[in-house]
């Protein structure tokens, strides 16, 4: 079976942790590199968390530490959602593995250059590392098959009324990515907020295997939704869109990133009716089939060990 070469750029992050874990064990995914960035918590913490996951599953996937700050804005983290450490609630062993000796942007470049086939990028955090990669090494774009990202929203945001967290954190980086000409799919907050796990699934997950036990412990500290209204599996949706696109409805459109300093800063303005553009630059998710997503989630967990 031909597997999809994949790089995840991430800020774990509880929903990031689930997405990374599933990608590690998905039979059709060849996870080649994890790069970290500041976002939910500092880059030191997100890097430590990525190493903890690699160690927990005892898999040899390299981790490279990326940017500690957005391109222009100061970092405003999201520790109120993911806890002080970014992945609280479960006691991970201190990782014996260490990060690659190069910056994430260099690791991305090296991995892309040496790959025989184009690689899929799955950013589930602020787009700082990828934006720098494209600015420093524009030739690497040719080695990117597509970018499938969690971020933005076709309706309102979660950090401000207009903006979703990953795009709000680094709108200038997002603008570089959306204007890069690379094939791009955006799985936005309006869709991922519907991809929720209810208490019933969380109970089931807890007893399924050691990964499920770890997830359930993290979920007990996660403030992305609630047990009553459902826990939002934002970042997991990006992986689902790569391996199981039929779980979503999509449209091709043009998305502009608002970088002005006002209340729309970080908004992803989609021209769904193509009234203002003749060229599309993104495929956007419009909806998720929630019950099927939950079934898929449980299937994924079964093979995550
Ligand atoms: C996004 O923000 C982060 O807190 C989550 O991990 C996800 O990537 C949702 O807005
Ligand atoms: Ca994330």
């Amino acid at each position: 079976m031909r597997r999809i070469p994949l790089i995840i750029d991430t800020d774990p992050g509880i929903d990031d942790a689930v997405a990374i874990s599933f990608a590690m064990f998905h039979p059709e995914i060849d996870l080649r590199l994890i790069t970290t960035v500041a976002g939910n918590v500092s880059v030191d913490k997100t890097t430590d968390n990525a190493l903890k996951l690699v160690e927990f599953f005892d898999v040899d996937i390299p981790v490279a530490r990326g940017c500690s700050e957005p391109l222009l804005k100061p970092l405003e983290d999201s520790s109120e959602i993911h806890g002080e450490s970014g992945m609280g609630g479960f006691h991970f062993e201190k990782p014996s593995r260490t990060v690659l000796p190069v910056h994430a942007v260099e690791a991305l470049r090296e991995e892309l250059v040496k790959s025989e086939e184009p690689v899929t990028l799955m950013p589930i955090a602020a787009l700082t590392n990828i934006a720098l990669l494209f600015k420093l090494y524009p030739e690497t774009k040719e080695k990117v098959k597509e970018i499938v990202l969690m971020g933005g929203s076709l309706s309102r945001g979660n950090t401000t009324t207009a903006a979703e967290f990953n795009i709000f954190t680094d709108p200038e980086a997002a603008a570089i990515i959306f204007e890069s000409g690379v094939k791009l799919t955006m799985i936005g907050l309006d869709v991922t907020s519907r991809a929720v796990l209810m208490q019933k699934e969380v109970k089931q997950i807890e007893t399924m295997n050691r990964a499920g036990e770890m997830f359930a412990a993290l979920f007990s500290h996660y403030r992305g939704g609630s047990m009553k209204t459902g826990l939002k599996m934002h970042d997991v949706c990006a992986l689902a869109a790569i391996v199981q696109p039929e779980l979503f409805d999509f449209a091709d459109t043009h998305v502009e990133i608002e970088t002005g300093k006002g209340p729309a800063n970080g908004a992803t303005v989609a021209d769904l009716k193509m009234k203002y553009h003749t060229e599309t630059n993104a495929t956007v998710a419009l909806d998720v089939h929630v019950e099927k997503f939950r079934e898929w989630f449980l299937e994924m967990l079964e093979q995550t060990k």
Side-chain angles (χ1 to χ4, degrees), residues 60-162:
D60 284 322
I61 296 164
V63 174
R65 182 186 190 275
C67 295
S68 56
E69 283 177 32
L71 295 182
L72 299 182
K73 284 170 90 172
L75 176 68
E76 291 177 46
D77 75 19
S78 188
S79 51
E80 73 287 358
I81 309 277
H82 298 264
E84 271 309 305
S85 76
M87 252 170 46
F90 183 81
H91 176 74
F92 289 93
E93 295 301 322
K94 199 174 160 35
S96 61
R97 288 165 165 83
T98 52
V99 285
L100 291 175
V102 291
H103 190 277
V105 174
E106 298 300 327
L108 280 158
R109 187 190 79 88
E110 282 171 25
E111 197 55 51
L112 289 169
V113 167
K114 79 173 184 212
S115 178
E116 280 173 12
E117 44 182 332
V119 177
T120 298
L121 299 186
M122 185 178 120
I124 48 176
L127 291 156
T128 321
N129 290 333
I130 316 282
L132 279 178
L133 173 77
F134 286 176
K135 282 292 173 192
L136 283 169
Y137 306 113
E139 67 282 6
T140 57
K141 288 185 210 171
E142 276 174 26
K143 298 299 284 288
V144 177
K145 181 173 173 236
E146 57 173 336
I147 296 175
V148 181
L149 65 87
M150 187 283 135
S153 173
L154 297 183
S155 56
R156 54 178 289 175
N158 53 358
T159 303
T160 65
T161 311

Side-chain angles (χ1 to χ4, degrees), residues 8 14 26 35 39 43 53-54 74 180 184 207 218 227 233 243 257 263 276 286:
I8 299 184
I14 290 174
H26 195 287
T35 52
V43 74
L53 285 171
V54 171
S180 68
L184 181 88
T207 55
L218 295 178
M227 288 290 182
M233 294 296 112
V243 293
I257 308 295
Y276 295 88
L286 298 175

Side-chain angles (χ1 to χ4, degrees), residues 11 15-16 40 78 82 124 150 158 164-166 189 234-235:
D11 61 344
D15 55 326
D16 302 73
N40 285 323
S78 188
H82 298 264
I124 48 176
M150 187 283 135
N158 53 358
E164 178 279 333
F165 178 74
N166 291 340
L189 180 79
H234 303 294
D235 292 341

